[in-house]
Amino acid sequence: MSYYYRICESRISDEDNEIHTVYGIELYCGSMLIKSYPDVFFEKEKAETLTYLCNALGLSPLHFPDVIEDALID
């Protein structure tokens, strides 16, 4: 199976109703969305870097949740 990771962008509002753009990562198998973590980063560059690394290193989907958890800690 061919898995790949892709950046995603969404908007959220805070308690003051201010809108913020946030970035996450999605896991696909072919054209099917398998798992999405939509609001992991406020900085697009961080999401792009992690997405690139997941694809370049061929991250197993089994390790995807752990990688996201580690990214949240940093």
Side-chain angles (χ1 to χ4, degrees), residues 3-74:
Y3 292 102
Y4 68 95
Y5 299 86
R6 188 173 88 175
I7 189 172
C8 60
E9 179 179 313
S10 57
R11 288 168 183 56
I12 59 170
S13 61
D14 62 18
E15 61 274 354
D16 296 324
N17 289 325
E18 292 186 38
I19 303 297
H20 302 276
T21 302
V22 291
Y23 304 92
I25 302 176
E26 298 174 329
L27 168 62
Y28 283 84
C29 180
S31 62
M32 182 183 295
L33 176 63
I34 304 299
K35 183 69 179 167
S36 178
Y37 293 96
D39 56 352
V40 179
F41 302 104
F42 283 104
E43 299 87 9
K44 186 175 185 177
E45 296 78 23
K46 288 185 178 184
E48 289 173 333
T49 299
L50 186 57
T51 301
Y52 170 78
L53 288 171
C54 289
N55 285 317
L57 298 173
L59 179 70
S60 167
L62 296 174
H63 300 292
F64 187 38
D66 296 326
V67 168
I68 294 299
E69 183 178 338
D70 289 347
L72 291 171
I73 293 170
D74 283 344

